[in-house]
């Protein structure tokens, strides 16, 4: 069982709470599809095929669960809500086509989802052009909530919000973990695109910013959907670092884990930190993360020990016979954020929704948070060590720690670097 966290010192102002108590769940079949008619229609963009389809499948469960609960409880201001889910195929062109179809053909009231940082960075400017609200539930690049003009790559704008963690959140927590480990020489193996490079850059910047005694000695960036990691693994092992941080994800992570274990990785490397670990581990049929490995998550099924989280976990397990991942929780919460914005604002116009999302305070399974001035949720960074739990027949994080990632602290730790905090 996961241990209680050192809970963040949240502002205890009057937080508005959504009714996430578990309504009875009979069946969710047939609750999706359609659009353009009466009621509230939301469009979702997730990876539903290919190497990272498990993330989209988990998000779909979160959407479905929220839709069923909300409609069973009277809908949104009396109207049923439906979610139309489209496959981005982790490709920006496909995501653009699906986004355009959802807006122009389906007439959706708002958009949510996105798993790939690269796709999110390309979609964000188009969201602004279409003046359509987007609630990102997974993609983690800080540049989509870094206001346009802050850096060359910043694409944040009034229409793009994010309810989940960023790379900055995760690496702020990773640096805290690193500060407590007996490790000086660090390396990385990450995917060969923005997410891999950003993760390594932010980890180094935060390590320096909080005073971790660290040297950065090796880096490998294999392409997405690599089948043979052996040359990359050998290169890291030859460098003989004390610790490695890896943001590999989806089936790439499970492929890597199997080959790393066969190579003796976990005997030679003292500490391996997997930055998207539990989002891949729980739903994967591939190689599980070895016990004792450090992993992060953006939501933990046991922390915080709150009514919202316990009810969500129990309802989810009853429905799907597995613990919820962070992608399921983020998707579930996004539907409730739209419900809250529509009911508080009294309409579904883009101006109404943006006005409500801006600065919104909210409580969900992940805990209490609010949207900062850059439209980024002020959620915690969560890291722990992987442990197999007999009761749940699943890997969990135990012990698990929540690290406050307050905007001022994150910005302060990045001072002197050219990296945006994105919050």
């Amino acid at each position: 069982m996961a241990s209680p966290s050192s809970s963040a010192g949240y502002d205890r102002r009057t937080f508005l709470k959504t009714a996430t108590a578990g309504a009875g769940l009979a069946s969710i079949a047939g609750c999706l599809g359609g659009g353009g008619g009466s009621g509230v229609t939301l469009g979702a963009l997730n990876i539903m095929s290919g190497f990272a389809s498990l993330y989209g499948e988990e998000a779909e469960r979160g959407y479905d669960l929220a839709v069923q609960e909300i409609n069973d409880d009277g809908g949104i201001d009396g109207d049923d809500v439906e979610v139309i889910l489209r496959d981005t195929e982790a490709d920006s062109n496909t995501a653009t086509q699906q986004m355009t179809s959802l807006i122009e053909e389906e007439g959706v009231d708002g958009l949510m989802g996105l798993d790939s940082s690269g796709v999110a960075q390309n979609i964000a400017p188009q969201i602004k052009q279409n003046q359509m609200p987007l609630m990102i539930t997974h993609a983690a690049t800080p540049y989509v909530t870094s206001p346009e003009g802050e850096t060359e790559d910043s694409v944040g704008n009034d229409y793009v919000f994010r309810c989940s963690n960023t790379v900055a959140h995760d690496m702020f927590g990773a640096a805290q973990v690193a500060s407590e480990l007996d490790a000086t020489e660090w390396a990385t193996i990450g995917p060969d695109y923005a997410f891999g490079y950003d993760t390594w850059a932010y980890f180094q910047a935060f390590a320096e910013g909080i005073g971790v005694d660290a040297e950065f000695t090796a880096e490998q960036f294999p392409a997405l959907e690599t089948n043979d990691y052996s040359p990359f693994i050998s290169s890291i092992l030859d460098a003989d670092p004390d610790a490695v941080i890896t943001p590999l994800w989806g089936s790439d992570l499970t492929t890597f884990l199997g080959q790393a274990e066969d190579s003796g990785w976990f005997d030679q490397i003292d500490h391996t930190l997997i930055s998207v670990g539990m989002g891949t581990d729980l739903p994967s049929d591939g190689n599980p993360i070895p016990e004792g490995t450090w992993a992060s998550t953006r939501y933990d099924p046991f922390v915080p020990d709150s009514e919202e989280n316990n009810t969500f976990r129990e309802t989810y397990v009853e429905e799907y016979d597995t613990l919820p991942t962070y992608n399921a929780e983020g998707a579930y919460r996004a539907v409730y954020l739209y419900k809250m914005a529509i009911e508080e604002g009294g309409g579904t116009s883009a101006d109404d929704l943006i006005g409500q999302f801006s600065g919104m305070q909210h409580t969900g399974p992940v805990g209490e948070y609010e949207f900062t001035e850059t439209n980024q949720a002020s959620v915690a960074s969560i890291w722990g060590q992987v442990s197999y739990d007999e009761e749940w027949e699943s890997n969990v994080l135990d012990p698990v720690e929540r690290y406050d990632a307050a905007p001022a602290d994150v910005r302060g730790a990045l001072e002197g670097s050219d990296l945006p905090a994105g919050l």
Side-chain angles (χ1 to χ4, degrees):
M1 182 68 66
S3 64
S5 71
S6 61
S7 182
Y10 289 108
D11 183 346
R12 296 289 179 180
R13 287 178 292 178
T14 306
F15 277 81
L16 301 175
K17 298 187 176 184
T18 56
T20 56
L25 293 175
S27 169
I28 61 170
C31 66
L32 301 183
S38 61
V40 176
T41 305
L42 301 175
L45 297 162
N46 290 94
I47 301 172
M48 301 302 297
S49 59
F51 80 103
S53 60
L54 58 87
Y55 294 100
E57 293 161 5
E58 290 292 305
E60 184 175 24
R61 290 178 171 184
Y63 298 135
D64 287 356
L65 189 56
V67 165
Q68 183 69 39
E69 288 182 357
I70 290 170
N71 289 341
D72 282 354
D73 198 37
I76 299 178
D77 265 347
D79 290 328
D80 278 356
V81 58
E82 67 174 348
V83 174
I84 303 174
L85 176 57
R86 294 288 180 81
D87 183 7
T88 68
E89 301 174 356
D91 177 78
S92 292
N93 291 331
T94 302
T96 297
Q97 293 168 6
Q98 298 287 25
M99 176 196 70
T100 302
S101 172
L102 286 168
I103 295 172
E104 297 182 356
E105 298 172 15
E106 303 291 354
V108 297
D109 299 303
L111 292 169
M112 53 193 176
L114 293 182
D115 302 292
S116 162
S117 290
V119 171
Q121 202 156 348
N122 288 322
I123 286 289
Q126 300 176 62
I127 288 293
K128 180 182 178 182
Q129 291 173 6
N130 284 280
Q131 299 183 352
M132 172 64 60
L134 167 66
M135 183 64 67
I136 295 175
T137 61
H138 185 196
T141 174
Y143 291 94
V144 298
T145 50
S146 167
E148 290 173 304
E150 184 176 21
T151 74
E152 182 180 352
D153 296 322
S154 299
V155 292
N157 60 70
D158 290 343
Y159 295 86
V160 176
F161 296 79
R162 176 165 43 204
C163 64
S164 54
N165 292 45
T166 73
V167 168
H169 283 105
D170 279 348
M171 292 305 100
F172 183 76
Q176 313 290 329
V177 173
S179 71
E180 300 168 1
L181 299 178
D182 182 19
T184 301
E185 296 186 357
W186 286 80
T188 192
I189 177 170
D192 184 18
Y193 76 110
F195 180 57
Y197 296 103
D198 286 349
T199 297
W200 187 224
Y202 275 90
F203 177 71
Q204 293 177 75
F206 281 125
E208 181 176 350
I210 67 171
V212 178
D213 181 16
E215 299 175 24
F216 309 104
T217 59
E219 55 185 35
Q220 291 293 312
F221 296 100
L224 289 171
E225 301 185 70
T226 291
N227 293 318
D228 181 9
Y229 283 90
S230 58
F232 308 101
I233 290 171
S234 294
S235 180
I236 296 291
L237 293 180
D238 288 345
D240 196 24
D242 301 318
V244 176
I245 187 160
T246 175
L248 291 173
W249 61 302
S251 60
D252 285 352
L253 176 58
T254 55
T255 300
F256 163 77
L257 286 171
Q259 295 176 17
E261 185 138 26
D262 291 343
S263 72
W265 175 287
F266 295 100
D267 295 324
Q268 181 172 331
I269 305 294
D270 293 338
H271 309 286
T272 301
L273 279 64
I274 301 175
S275 71
V276 291
M278 299 310 288
T280 295
D281 190 79
L282 292 180
S284 175
D285 292 327
N287 298 287
I289 300 175
E291 290 193 71
T293 304
W294 290 90
S296 79
T297 185
R298 299 165 190 178
Y299 154 79
D300 189 277
F302 304 99
V303 179
D305 184 12
S306 64
E307 179 182 353
E308 288 86 357
N309 195 22
N310 294 338
T311 300
F312 172 69
R313 181 190 67 238
E314 292 166 9
T315 306
Y316 192 94
V317 170
E318 181 179 349
E319 184 67 24
Y320 299 114
D321 197 29
T322 184
L323 291 170
T325 65
Y326 65 67
N327 222 29
E329 193 273 345
Y332 172 87
R333 191 156 37 88
V335 181
Y336 272 99
L337 285 166
Y338 271 103
K339 170 181 166 61
M340 181 174 173
I342 293 168
E343 292 183 339
E344 294 291 328
T348 59
S349 73
D351 286 345
D352 287 341
L353 292 172
I354 289 168
Q356 290 300 314
F357 286 147
S358 298
M360 178 182 278
Q361 299 171 333
H362 185 254
T363 298
V366 76
E368 299 173 344
Y369 61 97
E370 61 185 328
F371 286 90
T372 70
E373 60 185 16
T374 67
N375 297 340
Q376 168 61 48
S378 59
V379 287
S381 178
I382 306 171
W383 280 87
Q385 284 187 279
V386 174
S387 175
Y388 186 77
D389 188 293
E390 296 286 349
E391 177 184 352
W392 295 97
E393 298 181 342
S394 172
N395 273 348
V396 299
L397 293 181
D398 185 14
V400 59
E401 190 84 16
R402 285 166 61 101
Y403 297 97
D404 266 346
D409 294 337
V410 174
R411 293 176 191 139
L414 287 176
E415 192 172 343
S417 80
D418 58 358
L419 300 172
L423 70 166

